Amino acid sequence: MTEEQVRRHLRSAQAVADAAQAAGHHPFGALLVGPDDETVLMTQGNVDTVRHAESELARAAAQRYTPDELWRSTLVTTVEPCAMCTATAYWAHIGRIVYGADESELRAITGAHAENPTLDLPCRDVLARGQKAVEVVGPVPGLAEDILAVHRDFWAARG
């Protein structure tokens, strides 16, 4: 995936996150981009504290696409996937993860907020324990700051 494609898809994932927030959910968004690195196969916003955008998308994708198709596809998400979401993408057989902002930076914003008890466990560390070489791209400078600004406003309003 080219840098231009990464940035374009991350902006689209942020639009999904914005829609999730407008619907009363946490501002996280994810896309599944097909093997051509262009076609958006699926989108998913955050549902709640257990049904994250990335895990919901990975589960639905595993039902809809073959492991070979998913291995050549990319999960694009606004914020680095948590351990649960990373593992779900791994088990769904998605071959690449692209994210905009680091989970550790989200944790610095949310602190110990009951709605987002962020784990300090980078997705690369989770994947390093697996048996498949999932490619990880992120964080993306420039876009990370824009994504985190949305979270600063959202979580400050949540108290």
Side-chain angles (χ1 to χ4, degrees), residues 82-117:
C82 71
M84 174 183 71
C85 293
T86 300
T88 306
Y90 174 87
W91 285 107
H93 207 59
I94 296 171
R96 181 188 304 134
I97 295 172
V98 171
Y99 67 88
D102 275 330
E103 185 180 29
S104 62
E105 294 194 62
L106 176 66
R107 185 178 188 196
I109 293 168
T110 63
H113 198 288
E115 293 180 36
N116 197 53

Side-chain angles (χ1 to χ4, degrees), residues 52-130:
H52 297 179
E54 303 89 346
S55 60
E56 290 291 301
L57 184 139
R59 284 184 190 99
Q63 293 178 339
R64 189 175 297 169
Y65 299 101
T66 68
D68 180 61
E69 289 170 313
L70 290 173
W71 186 248
R72 296 179 293 116
S73 296
T74 304
L75 170 67
V76 178
T77 182
T78 52
V79 177
E80 180 179 8
C82 71
M84 174 183 71
C85 293
T86 300
T88 306
Y90 174 87
W91 285 107
H93 207 59
I94 296 171
R96 181 188 304 134
I97 295 172
V98 171
Y99 67 88
D102 275 330
E103 185 180 29
S104 62
E105 294 194 62
L106 176 66
R107 185 178 188 196
I109 293 168
T110 63
H113 198 288
E115 293 180 36
N116 197 53
T118 304
L119 292 167
D120 185 14
L121 185 56
C123 69
R124 285 177 175 90
D125 291 355
V126 174
L127 294 167
R129 301 294 181 120

